[in-house]
Every structure is written in structure tokens, then in C-alpha cells.
Amino acid sequence: MRHLAAALLCLAALPGLSACGLRPLYSGGMSGAAAQKLAGVRVSPIEGKAGWLMRNALNDRLSAMGQGEARYRLDVTLDDRIQGLGVRPDETVTRERRALRARYSLVDTASDKVVLEETTGWDAGIDVVSSEYATVAAEDAALERLALIVADRVIARIATDDAL
């Protein structure tokens, strides 16, 4: 009986959820507001291996929105660091943290004015094993994942900015 009452209560609350004002970010598909904003963004070159990975991730996400007139230029500066965390008594590192931080600016190409400037980032943990090759491979895999995650965060922030 208690389960039936809970189910009825949930059903009664459903109509109220539609009036909460939330809308899907990518509603309208390619003609939606977010897609139109993102279609007009071009990514400047970014230095280094992390920059190459990040620029590719950003361009992959932006190209999915179509190609519009280049209204904005996205300038990104990356800070990629690896820090040893776990240390054995013989002072060998057993765990690392790789942090990728992106400082980005969205510049209006017509006026050369910065319309959005923020920092975002993400961290990944890496086990340091006895094989140096395996550790380097884990560090590279972490960088690839971090570039994708940080690119997603940048794109989401640009898409949700009401000033654009």
C-alpha cells in the first residue's frame, strides 16, 4: 500500500516538472540557439601535445554543430602538470596526479573584444608501476581523457553563456 501511495505522489508531481523552466541545451538540433552559437566558433592553435589533443577535441565538438560564419575566436592556454602523490619509504612514487587546466578566452572577431574569459580543468589519478613504459602509457592515456573532459567543459560553458 505504501508503494502505491508513493507512486501516485510521483505521478502527481510530474506536471509540475514541465513548468520548471528547464530546457534541453541542444534542443532544436542544428537550428537551436546553442548550435548556432557553437557553429560560429573557431579554435586558435594551442601549443604542445596537450594543446594538439585539446584543439582536436574542441574542433570535433564544434564541427558537430555545423560550420557558420566565424563570429568568435577561442584562444586557449593550457597548464599540464604531473605531481607525485604516494611515496614509499625508499622515496619512489607510487601514485601520480595529472592536472590539465585551461585558461580560455572567447573573442568577438568583429570587435576583437573578449566576451568570455574563464578557467576550467580536471584531474586524473595514475598508478605508477614497475614498468616505466606502462607508466608513460598511463600518463598519455590520462592526458587524452583529460583533453576530452576539459574540451567538453569549455564547450558547455560557451553554449550556456547568455551574453553570446
Side-chain angles (χ1 to χ4, degrees), residues 14-74:
L14 283 177
L17 288 177
S18 66
C20 70
L22 293 177
R23 294 175 294 124
L25 180 60
Y26 296 108
S27 66
M30 299 293 273
S31 61
Q36 294 298 314
K37 279 188 230 179
L38 295 174
V41 176
R42 300 297 175 268
V43 183
S44 298
I46 309 169
E47 288 186 30
K49 179 180 182 178
W52 180 79
L53 290 167
M54 178 71 152
R55 186 166 191 257
N56 284 344
L58 288 166
N59 282 330
D60 287 347
R61 281 138 184 81
L62 291 170
S63 66
M65 300 299 148
Q67 292 294 320
E69 178 185 337
R71 293 191 53 215
Y72 302 104
R73 181 184 75 241
L74 182 61

Side-chain angles (χ1 to χ4, degrees), residues 3 25 35 75 96-98 107 109 115 119 124 142 147-148 151 158 164:
H3 295 293
L25 180 60
D75 298 329
E96 295 176 334
R97 178 177 63 199
R98 185 164 208 159
V107 181
T109 55
V115 294
T119 301
L148 295 174
I158 293 170
L164 302 179

Side-chain angles (χ1 to χ4, degrees), residues 115-146:
V115 294
L116 177 66
E117 186 170 30
E118 292 196 8
T119 301
T120 190
W122 207 258
D123 297 351
I126 303 164
D127 287 327
V128 178
V129 295
S130 60
S131 167
E132 187 175 333
Y133 174 79
T135 301
V136 171
E139 290 170 351
D140 285 346
L143 179 59
E144 290 172 15
R145 284 190 314 274
L146 288 171

Side-chain angles (χ1 to χ4, degrees), residues 86-103:
V87 181
R88 291 189 182 118
D90 64 353
E91 296 187 16
T92 58
V93 175
T94 59
R95 185 110 175 115
E96 295 176 334
R97 178 177 63 199
R98 185 164 208 159
L100 184 63
R101 302 284 178 260
R103 177 82 178 157

